[in-house]
Amino acid sequence: MAKSNNEKISVIIPSYNSCEAIKDCILSIIQTGYSNLEIIVVDDTSTDNSPQLVEDLVKEYPYTLKLLYHEKNGGPSKARNTGASVASGD
């Protein structure tokens, strides 16, 4: 069943040293045109510039990309669980 544009969708992105892909990933989700969207990025202690790239995108898209959480080497499953715990989508 297709989602209505009224339902809020939360997209959780675990990130670890994803500098080369994170911006394209986030922008491709934003460009879907879905109007009621929340993107949550959970950084797993990256050592590259990916957290800064995400923080810059948060400033550019404050109504869609709202959250950047920093985990301490918990792996992708823990990052997804952290994102799910703060998600407000349907």
Side-chain angles (χ1 to χ4, degrees):
M1 178 180 208
K3 294 285 183 188
S4 154
N5 237 6
N6 294 328
E7 293 180 279
K8 186 172 192 177
I9 300 295
S10 296
V11 178
I12 301 163
I13 304 171
S15 173
Y16 176 75
N17 289 345
S18 58
C19 195
E20 298 204 16
I22 193 74
K23 184 175 182 178
D24 288 341
C25 176
I26 292 168
L27 291 178
S28 71
I29 295 166
I30 290 171
Q31 291 169 353
T32 63
Y34 196 87
S35 63
N36 201 4
L37 183 66
E38 167 188 58
I39 301 173
I40 301 166
V41 178
V42 182
D43 178 67
D44 194 20
T45 318
S46 291
T47 58
D48 67 358
N49 196 36
S50 52
Q52 183 61 49
L53 285 174
V54 173
E55 288 174 9
D56 291 345
L57 286 170
V58 167
K59 293 173 189 169
E60 191 172 340
Y61 300 97
Y63 299 107
T64 301
L65 183 62
K66 298 178 182 175
L67 308 167
L68 174 65
Y69 291 90
H70 298 281
E71 288 286 333
K72 294 194 179 203
N73 293 332
S77 294
K78 184 175 180 191
R80 282 190 292 273
N81 289 338
T82 296
S85 71
V86 297
S88 62
D90 297 318

